[in-house]
Amino acid sequence: MSASNISSLTIASQQINIYVGTFILIIGMIGEILNIIVFLSLRTFRQNSCAFYLIFMSFFNIGQLIFSLFPRIMTSGFVIDWTQTSLFYCKFKGYILQICSLTSFTCICLATIDQFMATCFNPRWQQWNNIKLARSLCIITASFWILHGIPYLVFYNIIEMPKTGQLTCTITNAIFQQYFIYFYVLILGLVLPISITVIFGLLAYRNIQQMAYRTIPLVRRELDKQLTVMSPFYIYICVSERFRKQLNYVLFKIHLNRWQRGNITLNQVIPKL
């Protein structure tokens, strides 16, 4: 392949990384922010433990987008890699990413387990479905992963590659590297969250199918159904008419009206000044 063709492919790859990556970043940020706005604006969600896990998860998903996708855009699209020039950033990026990703994984697992308990017929299981417990578990979860990430601050370093002479940010401890590959990536990042969400998701779905035969308030029943089948924001807004109505109500009935009332009040006050 000629040098001109290689150069053209490199430029094309950079453009794809810039535009596609930026699009995904913006769409992802908007989706997570709207999730937070909807859940925090409606009282039925604010006092629901499963919704609280999803709110908490959305904040950490935003952290993942900022510290994972944005640096990748800068590296692949603009050939700017801050991990090669700043030891602090090299260590901090790995540290904050593991906190965000593991807290997010834990929250989705807790939300799935929570919905299983909420939809159980046995009152003993239902008593674990409460907002106070959800808040405590989220604090414990974040605190645990913050402490768990301390080795990232120690073992991530900038080294020079022997063959190319290029600087790279990587783990410099062999034992911790094995832990990272086989336990963090494989177990904590794949096997555990997938297994827990699939198992308890199916159990919750089975409970939902049996709800029609139980004496449960209609609002509670519909909320449990909605949260049990909750998927990423854009997928859910496409398939759920109920969620679209909730989003419309929150954005236009609550926040837009509040903004308009605020502007009217401000305009009334300014002439008096």
Side-chain angles (χ1 to χ4, degrees):
M1 186 178 291
S2 66
S4 61
N5 288 335
I6 294 175
S7 177
S8 298
L9 288 175
T10 302
I11 294 173
S13 176
Q14 289 177 340
Q15 295 300 311
I16 290 172
N17 284 314
I18 291 172
Y19 292 111
V20 175
T22 302
F23 175 77
I24 294 173
L25 176 65
I26 294 173
I27 292 298
M29 293 284 287
I30 292 174
E32 297 297 342
I33 292 171
L34 288 177
N35 259 342
I36 293 170
I37 291 174
V38 171
F39 284 141
L40 290 180
S41 299
L42 298 177
R43 186 177 180 182
T44 53
F45 285 130
R46 285 200 306 270
Q47 307 210 346
N48 183 277
S49 51
C50 180
F52 185 83
Y53 291 126
L54 297 178
I55 294 170
F56 204 70
M57 181 184 72
S58 290
F59 281 106
F60 285 92
N61 285 344
I62 291 174
Q64 285 193 80
L65 289 170
I66 293 173
F67 288 96
S68 177
L69 184 55
F70 178 67
R72 190 174 302 172
I73 295 170
M74 299 303 295
T75 302
S76 302
F78 299 97
V79 198
I80 299 174
D81 189 353
W82 294 308
T83 62
Q84 295 180 350
T85 57
S86 171
L87 180 60
F88 170 79
Y89 184 76
C90 168
K91 292 175 177 291
F92 182 74
K93 179 187 174 185
Y95 176 68
I96 200 70
L97 273 180
Q98 72 87 33
I99 293 174
C100 290
S101 60
L102 292 179
T103 303
S104 177
F105 289 151
T106 306
C107 284
I108 192 62
C109 291
L110 290 173
T112 310
I113 295 172
D114 181 88
Q115 276 308 100
F116 162 70
M117 293 180 177
T119 55
C120 280
F121 181 73
N122 192 330
R124 291 185 179 181
W125 291 107
Q126 291 181 8
Q127 70 180 352
W128 294 100
N129 174 249
N130 65 83
I131 190 66
K132 290 183 178 179
L133 178 62
R135 290 170 180 165
S136 299
L137 287 177
C138 284
I139 293 173
I140 292 171
T141 293
S143 301
F144 179 81
W145 294 129
I146 287 171
L147 295 175
H148 171 269
I150 291 176
Y152 290 79
L153 297 174
V154 178
F155 298 125
Y156 261 99
N157 289 289
I158 300 175
I159 63 171
E160 183 178 337
M161 301 300 290
K163 292 184 179 180
T164 62
Q166 184 179 3
L167 296 177
T168 183
C169 175
T170 188
I171 298 172
T172 54
N173 181 278
I175 296 176
F176 186 68
Q177 189 173 43
Q178 295 298 310
Y179 169 84
F180 177 82
I181 295 172
Y182 295 106
F183 190 75
Y184 170 77
V185 175
L186 185 61
I187 304 299
L188 297 180
L190 290 174
V191 176
L192 275 181
I194 292 175
S195 300
I196 292 173
T197 52
V198 168
I199 291 171
F200 284 95
L202 290 174
L203 291 174
Y205 183 78
R206 185 195 64 180
N207 291 341
I208 286 292
Q209 300 305 307
Q210 299 173 354
M211 270 189 172
Y213 306 102
R214 305 181 201 166
T215 307
I216 298 176
L218 180 61
V219 174
R220 162 71 185 280
R221 182 188 303 171
E222 291 303 315
L223 181 62
D224 284 334
K225 286 182 179 180
Q226 180 178 0
L227 290 172
T228 298
V229 300
M230 191 75 180
S231 49
F233 175 81
Y234 291 106
I235 297 176
Y236 198 63
I237 200 173
C238 290
V239 301
S240 172
E241 182 181 357
R242 177 185 173 88
F243 190 70
R244 289 196 296 271
K245 290 179 179 179
Q246 289 169 333
L247 178 63
N248 180 70
Y249 176 77
V250 167
L251 293 182
F252 298 103
K253 299 295 184 180
I254 297 179
H255 294 290
L256 182 60
N257 289 342
R258 186 179 299 169
W259 178 76
Q260 290 175 341
R261 289 196 300 268
N263 282 344
I264 293 173
T265 303
L266 184 63
N267 291 333
Q268 292 173 345
V269 171
I270 289 177
K272 296 180 181 180
L273 297 177

